Amino acid sequence: MTTDKRGVAVLQDPAINRGTAFTDRERDVLGLRGLLPPRVFTQDEQLARVMKNYRRKETDLERYIFLTALQDRNEKLFYRAVLEHIDEMMPVIYTPTVGEACKEFAHIFRRTRGLYISAADRGRVADILRNWPNDKVGVIVVTDGERILGLGDLGANGMGIPIGKLSLYTACAGIDPSLCLPVMLDVGTNNQDLRSDPLYLGLDQVRIRGRAYEELVDEFVMAVQEVFPGALIQFEDFITHNAYSILHRYRDRVLCFNDDIQGTAAVALAGLQAALRITRKSLPEQTILFLGAGAAATGIADLMVAAMVAEGLSRDQARRRIWLVDSKGLVVSSRRDTLSEHKKPYAHDHAPMDFLPAVTDLEPTALVGATGRPGTFTREIVELMAELNPRPIVFALSNPTSKAECTAEQAYGWSNGQVIFASGSPFAPVDINGRRYLTGQGNNAYIFPGIGLGAIVCGSSRITEDMFLAAARTLAEQVTEDRLDQGAIYPPLRDLRRVSVAIAVAVADSAYRDGLATQPRPDDLDAHIRGHVYNTEYDDLA
Ligand code: NAD
């Protein structure tokens, strides 16, 4: 690799800067003599320094700020640190710390990353995209900041989410960081506290809605097709009705998906499929009760239906295996007139009732919590599930940790280790009666990086439901028997690179089968995909 840059410009470009690890020859050729202390360090030595400084920080938010600064300075070293310490750093660069970082975004802001497109930019969105310094973009993660994790409307502060997700695309699937573009669609915020904050970075106005909003989103999506053809758009943390309407509007027209709906769905389905390897039951035998009926819950329900259909049920039979409870109680047919579209397929004939009687009445084999309301899986509920099933499946998916429907300790403790438990945010292992139980984290990072890698390497023109089914199946197969024995229904995070490549192969294979790939099929798809994976070794620039 070569560069036209010289001197300070080299040190200021995080894609090529290797800091104290520039060799003597590079220092001569690139005009770096004197700009660096004389001793040349190896990347291993640099990593040791990074880890020492990282661990010296007292709070996760400080660790987040430290890692952001490293990413802005030396990308290869940043990704080396993240990859080698993924268990430790994933919860910092992504949930739960990223939530805290978004709340504080305006206060911890140091250096800009990504593109901001605001409601004031109607008519010039393509020009803004052309301001991005890289000609080629592979993946865009875009949010409008209205439903950040379980934290609500964080306006332009939500930019922490696209940045964090794209870091995971590189860390987990090895997508080159130069191909990754974070985008904030700043359409205002209805969060008055933010607008009153003198340091807030976004537009000081209420959110634009209706036509004006749709036209801005439309201009953005079309501008991407013009400026960065072939780029995958991942929609992230939009409020439910916008998440659904944007997905329905574009999924058959451009290469895009919504991670809160489809990524979450695939990771939860994979968890269920892995849990069924423990209970030795089939998917069509399950009765699944959701607490929460937002984008995450109905996205999961829809993909579970597709998976049951693939296992032989009719769509109608499959939907009848699934029930939803929202903030007004069980979703039933008598409520149909007032229900939003995404809930209607699950509004079955039944008496209206609350969550607890619904558990008693429906006798679910699996509970899935996606409410954003902590404490909603009470002791009574977990004990009841353990009475109804020898190995009840309980997923408390709400993020961050403080929003989980119940904790791992509660789930395992109240059921005496009977539950098969997964959560959205990480929990420490729980020891009960001399046995250690691990908690699988239903982290979307198991799915979306592999989807992105597979789709962009084969040049897929769309992201399909079949790709998410293939991704879920592949993820469930990657869990070892040993992990299952300890109650963990996902692979360890340190296996994410291997898992993401396996998912990418399955996704690309699906694209080739469905005639969606625009690149010729290589003889060895696995090796071809591996060949695209970014590595953290420094390039020789001299
Ligand atoms: P949402 O706002 O669209 O939906 C929330 C739903 O919960 C609504 O249907 C609401 O009616 C219902 N609800 C709220 N309080 C309730 C209560 N007390 N009882 C019953 N229902 C109640 O949000 P969403 O996008 O669906 O996300 C929900 C949660 O799922 C968030 O906390 C988010 O962090 C989490 N999530 C987790 C993952 C993951 O683990 N991989 C992925 C995406 C979202």
Side-chain angles (χ1 to χ4, degrees):
M1 191 177 162
T2 54
T3 175
D4 296 336
K5 293 185 174 164
R6 289 291 173 273
V8 169
V10 175
L11 303 180
Q12 287 174 344
D13 181 347
I16 55 171
N17 180 29
R18 51 196 282 185
T20 54
F22 275 116
T23 60
D24 276 321
R25 191 173 143 65
E26 283 172 325
R27 291 173 190 222
D28 288 334
V29 173
L30 300 171
L32 299 173
R33 281 275 164 223
L35 297 178
L36 292 163
R39 189 171 148 195
V40 176
F41 285 82
T42 63
Q43 197 187 55
D44 285 353
E45 289 166 330
Q46 289 182 305
L47 182 62
R49 185 186 290 119
V50 163
M51 293 313 296
K52 206 166 168 196
N53 280 311
Y54 177 79
R55 290 181 179 143
R56 191 182 284 166
K57 302 288 172 205
E58 285 182 0
T59 66
D60 282 339
L61 190 60
E62 285 175 43
R63 288 181 198 106
Y64 176 92
I65 295 167
F66 173 83
L67 287 178
T68 303
L70 177 60
Q71 186 177 20
D72 288 343
R73 207 165 56 235
N74 180 338
E75 256 168 15
K76 292 253 176 179
L77 187 55
F78 167 77
Y79 283 111
R80 169 93 192 272
V82 172
L83 263 175
E84 282 194 17
H85 301 277
I86 191 106
D87 285 304
E88 196 176 344
M89 292 187 178
M90 170 90 95
V92 175
I93 58 172
Y94 209 66
T95 117
T97 306
V98 74
E100 206 188 327
C102 284
K103 285 199 272 185
E104 293 292 328
F105 197 77
H107 294 252
I108 63 174
F109 182 80
R110 263 94 169 147
R111 179 177 169 161
T112 188
R113 175 176 284 268
L115 285 175
Y116 290 81
I117 295 168
S118 87
D121 292 322
R122 274 288 278 127
R124 57 180 183 209
V125 175
D127 292 338
I128 292 177
L129 292 183
R130 286 192 193 93
N131 286 342
W132 184 244
N134 303 335
D135 296 338
K136 200 162 165 1
V137 168
V139 188
I140 294 172
V141 178
V142 57
T143 185
D144 71 357
E146 189 164 12
R147 203 242 54 197
I148 295 299
L149 306 170
L151 302 170
D153 182 353
L154 294 185
N157 282 10
M159 185 53 142
I161 296 294
I163 292 172
K165 284 249 148 143
L166 285 163
S167 299
L168 296 184
Y169 265 106
T170 302
C172 304
I175 293 181
D176 195 295
S178 69
L179 296 175
C180 296
L181 170 57
V183 173
M184 161 52 62
L185 278 185
D186 183 355
V187 296
T189 176
N190 295 353
N191 183 332
Q192 195 48 52
D193 289 345
L194 284 185
R195 288 183 55 203
S196 318
D197 179 349
L199 294 181
Y200 179 61
L201 296 154
L203 285 184
D204 182 10
Q205 64 173 61
V206 293
R207 286 182 174 272
I208 56 167
R209 299 280 188 205
R211 270 293 283 276
Y213 177 83
E214 283 160 23
E215 283 175 3
L216 184 71
V217 174
D218 208 50
E219 186 181 338
F220 165 70
V221 172
M222 293 309 134
V224 169
Q225 311 313 304
E226 183 189 329
V227 182
F228 301 124
L232 166 65
I233 305 176
Q234 174 175 327
F235 295 103
E236 188 68 39
D237 285 2
F238 286 75
I239 205 157
T240 304
H241 60 270
N242 285 335
Y244 270 101
S245 70
I246 291 171
L247 182 62
H248 288 146
R249 188 164 161 72
Y250 299 109
R251 73 167 156 200
D252 295 329
R253 290 167 59 192
V254 305
L255 182 67
C256 72
F257 71 99
N258 179 298
D259 189 51
D260 306 297
I261 301 172
Q262 298 166 289
T264 304
V267 82
L269 173 61
L272 182 61
Q273 287 169 329
L276 297 179
R277 288 177 54 198
I278 299 176
T279 62
R280 301 189 187 282
K281 298 272 190 223
S282 74
L283 190 55
E285 287 175 277
Q286 305 306 304
T287 300
I288 302 153
L289 178 60
F290 285 80
L291 186 66
T298 50
I300 298 170
D302 291 347
L303 197 67
M304 285 179 176
V305 167
M308 288 187 198
V309 169
E311 291 192 30
L313 294 193
S314 71
R315 196 157 285 271
D316 200 44
Q317 286 169 330
R319 284 175 173 163
R320 289 182 174 282
R321 313 299 308 167
I322 292 178
W323 296 82
L324 310 176
V325 172
D326 65 10
S327 50
K328 298 194 177 73
L330 190 63
V331 171
V332 289
S333 50
S334 56
R335 292 177 53 193
R336 192 170 277 274
D337 290 347
T338 55
L339 288 174
S340 29
E341 284 305 314
H342 63 277
K343 298 184 197 178
K344 283 186 180 164
Y346 306 100
H348 310 307
D349 290 338
H350 198 282
M353 56 178 60
D354 288 335
F355 181 45
L356 179 64
V359 176
T360 312
D361 216 48
L362 301 171
E363 302 188 354
T365 53
L367 281 187
V368 181
T371 55
R373 296 287 183 280
T376 38
F377 287 171
T378 58
R379 179 176 196 130
E380 215 177 348
I381 294 282
V382 173
E383 285 177 349
L384 185 52
M385 284 299 286
E387 267 171 45
L388 293 168
N389 304 278
R391 298 300 307 271
I393 297 166
V394 176
F395 294 171
L397 295 183
S398 289
N399 293 318
T401 320
S402 61
K403 304 270 181 183
E405 285 75 11
C406 68
T407 65
E409 206 166 358
Q410 290 168 334
Y412 289 124
W414 292 336
S415 69
N416 208 11
Q418 238 176 288
V419 292
I420 301 170
F421 181 68
S423 59
S425 296
F427 279 104
V430 176
D431 294 311
I432 297 171
N433 301 335
R435 245 196 100 174
R436 170 153 286 205
Y437 297 86
L438 303 180
T439 295
Q441 187 194 352
N443 191 324
N444 293 28
Y446 284 116
I447 295 287
F448 69 80
I451 294 268
L453 180 65
I456 64 175
V457 171
C458 73
S460 185
S461 56
R462 301 286 178 274
I463 300 289
T464 61
E465 188 172 71
D466 194 57
M467 291 177 185
F468 284 101
L469 288 177
R473 207 166 37 239
T474 306
L475 176 55
E477 286 165 3
Q478 298 287 320
V479 190
T480 60
E481 292 292 336
D482 190 42
R483 294 274 296 172
L484 293 177
D485 283 347
Q486 296 178 77
I489 52 172
Y490 294 101
L493 290 177
R494 64 177 173 277
D495 286 358
L496 262 170
R497 271 275 167 104
R498 183 177 58 74
V499 169
S500 298
V501 169
I503 289 175
V505 172
V507 166
D509 188 56
S510 166
Y512 284 114
R513 261 187 286 114
D514 289 346
L516 296 170
T518 57
Q519 297 296 318
R521 184 175 181 126
D523 292 337
D524 185 342
L525 188 55
D526 190 90
H528 179 69
I529 287 180
R530 269 171 218 287
H532 280 77
V533 169
Y534 171 83
N535 74 63
T536 57
E537 279 161 39
Y538 288 131
D539 298 312
D540 189 356
L541 295 177

